[in-house]
Amino acid sequence: MAKPIPPRPAPVVLHDPRRLDPDEEIVHRSHLTDDELAQVVRVLDAMHRWREAERAMSEESQRYMKLGETDMRALRLLIAAQRQEAVVTPGDLATHLGVSTASVTKLLDRLEKGGHIRRRPHPTDRRRLAIEVTARTRRAARESVGRSHARRFDVVAALSAEQRAVVAGFFDDLAATADPEGERQEQ
C-alpha cells in the first residue's frame, strides 16, 4: 500500500497584514476596502520581488568581478567620479562608505592587488592620493552592472512624466520610513 502524500504546507506569507497582524496592532488598515488592501499587498509583494532580484543581481556582479559588496560600492563611486572627471581620495571613499580610513586602506590594497584600481598623486595636492579604476575593471563593470542599469533606465523612461513623479515620490516617502527620527515622531 502506497504511503499517502502529506498535504503541502501553505506558503509563508511575507507582506499581507491580514495574516501577519490580524488584530491591527501595528498595521492600521481598517480604512481600506478589500480591493485597496489587495492592491497594497500586491505593491509590497512586487517590492519584495524587486529586492530579491536586485540582491541576486548584485551577488552575481560580485561573483563575476570576484569582489565583496563594499568593494563594489567603492568601484561604483570611482567609476562614476572618473566619468565626471572628479578626483576621489581615500578620505572621500571612507566618507562615502561610512568606514574608517584604516578600512579604506585595506580595501584599496585589496583592489590594487586585484588590478582594479591605481593610486596616483592628487592632481592639485601632491600630499594626497587620487584613486582611479583601471580600464579592465571599468569594462567588466560596464558589462555586468552597466547593462542592468541601462535596462532599469529604459523601464523608468517608458513611464509618463506623471507616473515618474508618482514613483519618485513613492520611493522618497519609502526612504523616509527608514529614518529613525521619523519613527519617533509618529509614535
Side-chain angles (χ1 to χ4, degrees):
M1 180 171 181
K3 232 181 181 179
I5 299 173
R8 192 175 209 173
V12 175
V13 174
L14 296 176
H15 307 106
D16 191 336
R18 295 169 291 200
R19 301 271 303 274
L20 299 171
D21 185 22
D23 298 324
E24 294 190 52
E25 295 173 25
I26 298 173
V27 180
H28 306 290
R29 61 186 183 281
S30 58
H31 63 288
L32 297 172
T33 67
D34 287 344
D35 285 345
E36 290 170 327
L37 183 55
Q39 290 171 337
V40 170
V41 170
R42 182 173 180 246
V43 170
L44 293 172
D45 285 339
M47 287 170 42
H48 175 73
R49 286 190 305 277
W50 161 246
R51 277 194 314 269
E52 289 301 307
E54 178 73 6
R55 183 188 54 73
M57 192 170 31
S58 177
E59 288 173 359
E60 179 59 31
S61 293
Q62 289 174 33
R63 277 191 298 277
Y64 177 76
M65 305 260 316
K66 298 180 176 99
L67 297 170
E69 183 180 344
T70 303
D71 298 349
M72 292 292 286
R73 287 180 56 216
L75 289 177
R76 276 193 288 276
L77 175 71
L78 292 167
I79 290 168
Q82 269 182 254
R83 298 289 273 171
Q84 298 167 46
E85 298 181 6
V87 177
V88 176
T89 66
D92 297 331
L93 268 178
T95 299
H96 176 74
L97 298 172
V99 299
S100 70
T101 52
S103 293
V104 166
T105 299
K106 289 178 186 176
L107 176 140
L108 293 175
D109 289 345
R110 193 170 53 249
L111 292 176
E112 189 171 48
K113 183 177 179 183
H116 298 291
I117 60 112
R118 283 187 298 268
R119 292 169 164 120
R120 300 279 189 219
H122 193 282
T124 60
D125 184 349
R126 294 293 179 181
R127 295 169 297 171
R128 296 170 48 188
L129 290 175
I131 312 302
E132 60 183 45
V133 174
T134 63
R136 178 183 63 101
T137 293
R138 203 170 36 253
R139 279 191 305 276
R142 183 179 181 100
E143 289 304 311
S144 63
V145 179
R147 293 201 188 283
S148 298
H149 286 302
R151 288 192 301 271
R152 286 192 294 264
F153 179 89
D154 292 343
V155 169
V156 175
L159 299 173
S160 69
E162 294 80 16
Q163 290 170 318
R164 286 191 292 270
V166 168
V167 171
F170 168 76
F171 280 114
D172 288 342
D173 291 348
L174 205 56
T177 68
D179 178 10
E181 295 296 321
E183 184 176 306
R184 276 188 242 132
Q185 290 171 358
E186 289 179 37
Q187 293 177 352

